Amino acid sequence: MRTTASLSALAAAALLAACASAPTVTPGLQQARSTVRSAEADPAVVKYAPLELKKASDSLRRADELSVKRESPADIDSAAYVAATQAKTAMALAKAQSDEEAIKAAEADRERVRADANAARANAAQAQAANASADANAARAQAAVAQADAASAQAQAAALQRELNDMQARQTDRGMLVTLGDVLFEFGRAEIKPNAQGAIAKLAHFLNEHPDRRVLIEGFTDSVGSDAANLALSQRRSQAVADALRAQGVDPTRIATRGYGEQYPVASNASTSDRAMNRRVEVYISNDNQPVRARS
């Protein structure tokens, strides 16, 4: 009887030791692992954003180490959040670089067509005195140049329009308007959510591709809370977006910010859905290299 009891006690102690040594795995850590693995499996990320990918992998390793050491879930989630954010940044940068490579390839094709057309015009000029058909060849070459230029202009316009459509931008009398809704922030806070990094990356890529454009970032809140608190919150949110754009390479001299609190609502504040519409950040992109006109 005494031997059986001793064995049972030893088994229970072994079970408790095993449980105590099991890593602490939080949902945030699981999500970070999935995000980093997706980035590592993307050939474009490996090619165009190796440094950002390494940062994400290193950050995930630190989160896993905290998990193995059974540190607090808050510390594990903090490290996991950094890893996931860095992985998403790497994927956004890789996509931007891939798109840039495609545009460069199209430009190279256009230049080849232009070079061929110039060569055709030169040959036609040399043969003009001897052969009247050279005039026709020159005309065809000029038509090819015009078609190539028109195709390039159309491609650039289409690319610009796709970028604007992707950001759901619309033209106003103050410039192109991109509205970032309350999904950008937690209620009452000014830290950008991790799942909003994609929208920020798209906006930063557009601004980096069009360095002549300037932006004015305006923050707004709903009517919940005091005027002073809402004004301060809206200012912090607009500044948070500006800081995120600067972190992705946008020249800070091109960025201006304003906070308006609960002013200029786009819906009534009578319901939850209406208040959510009023909690927003509006980004105005200039049509030229001049600052965006302020609200009158």
Side-chain angles (χ1 to χ4, degrees):
M1 294 287 290
R2 186 176 297 109
T3 301
T4 302
S6 298
L7 291 174
S8 299
L10 288 172
L15 178 61
L16 288 174
C19 292
S21 62
T24 300
V25 180
T26 67
L29 178 57
Q30 291 176 328
Q31 181 61 43
R33 287 172 175 172
S34 175
T35 303
V36 173
R37 297 297 176 261
S38 296
E40 291 174 339
D42 189 339
V45 175
V46 174
K47 180 178 180 181
Y48 295 118
L51 179 59
E52 290 75 14
L53 180 59
K54 183 179 184 304
K55 290 179 181 178
S57 299
D58 291 345
S59 296
L60 180 61
R61 184 167 59 257
R62 285 193 292 273
D64 284 333
E65 289 171 354
L66 294 175
S67 172
V68 171
K69 293 178 181 177
R70 298 180 57 78
E71 298 292 345
S72 70
D75 290 342
I76 296 171
D77 279 344
S78 178
Y81 167 77
V82 172
T85 300
Q86 290 171 332
K88 291 175 182 177
T89 299
M91 289 187 281
L93 290 175
K95 183 180 184 305
Q97 187 62 35
S98 297
D99 291 344
E100 182 177 352
E101 291 292 337
I103 292 175
K104 287 181 178 177
E107 288 292 331
D109 288 340
R110 183 179 71 85
E111 291 302 321
R112 282 194 293 272
V113 171
R114 183 186 295 275
D116 291 342
N118 289 337
R121 284 200 300 270
N123 292 335
Q126 293 173 357
Q128 186 174 12
N131 192 345
S133 64
D135 291 338
N137 291 335
R140 285 194 293 269
Q142 290 175 349
V145 172
Q147 290 175 353
D149 289 343
S152 176
Q154 290 175 352
Q156 291 177 351
L160 174 61
Q161 190 59 50
R162 282 195 301 271
E163 292 178 11
L164 294 174
N165 290 342
D166 196 31
M167 296 187 295
Q168 297 182 343
R170 62 183 180 86
Q171 183 67 52
T172 72
D173 60 352
R174 300 170 62 205
M176 296 302 302
L177 169 61
V178 177
T179 300
L180 304 174
D182 72 332
V183 295
L184 202 65
F185 304 98
E186 295 288 355
F187 178 78
R189 300 186 66 85
E191 297 82 13
I192 298 175
K193 291 182 181 179
N195 60 4
Q197 292 297 332
I200 298 295
K202 289 178 184 178
L203 182 58
H205 173 66
F206 178 85
L207 294 175
N208 287 328
E209 285 294 305
H210 303 279
D212 57 323
R213 306 293 182 94
R214 298 196 180 197
V215 291
L216 173 60
I217 304 171
E218 299 179 341
F220 304 88
T221 68
D222 59 24
S223 61
V224 177
S226 68
D227 291 348
N230 285 336
L231 180 60
L233 177 60
S234 67
Q235 290 171 335
R236 293 199 306 274
R237 286 181 168 179
S238 63
Q239 188 60 48
V241 174
D243 292 342
L245 293 177
R246 283 196 289 267
Q248 298 200 31
V250 180
D251 184 352
T253 62
R254 299 165 55 200
I255 304 172
T257 61
R258 287 293 302 272
Y260 289 102
E262 60 191 73
Q263 296 184 71
Y264 306 106
V266 295
S268 72
N269 284 292
S271 66
T272 300
S273 60
D274 284 352
R275 288 191 293 273
M277 293 175 64
N278 289 329
R279 296 192 298 268
R280 69 197 190 280
V281 171
E282 293 184 352
V283 181
Y284 285 89
I285 305 173
S286 68
N287 294 323
D288 49 33
N289 60 359
Q290 298 302 309
V292 177
R293 175 170 53 84
R295 290 176 180 266
S296 55

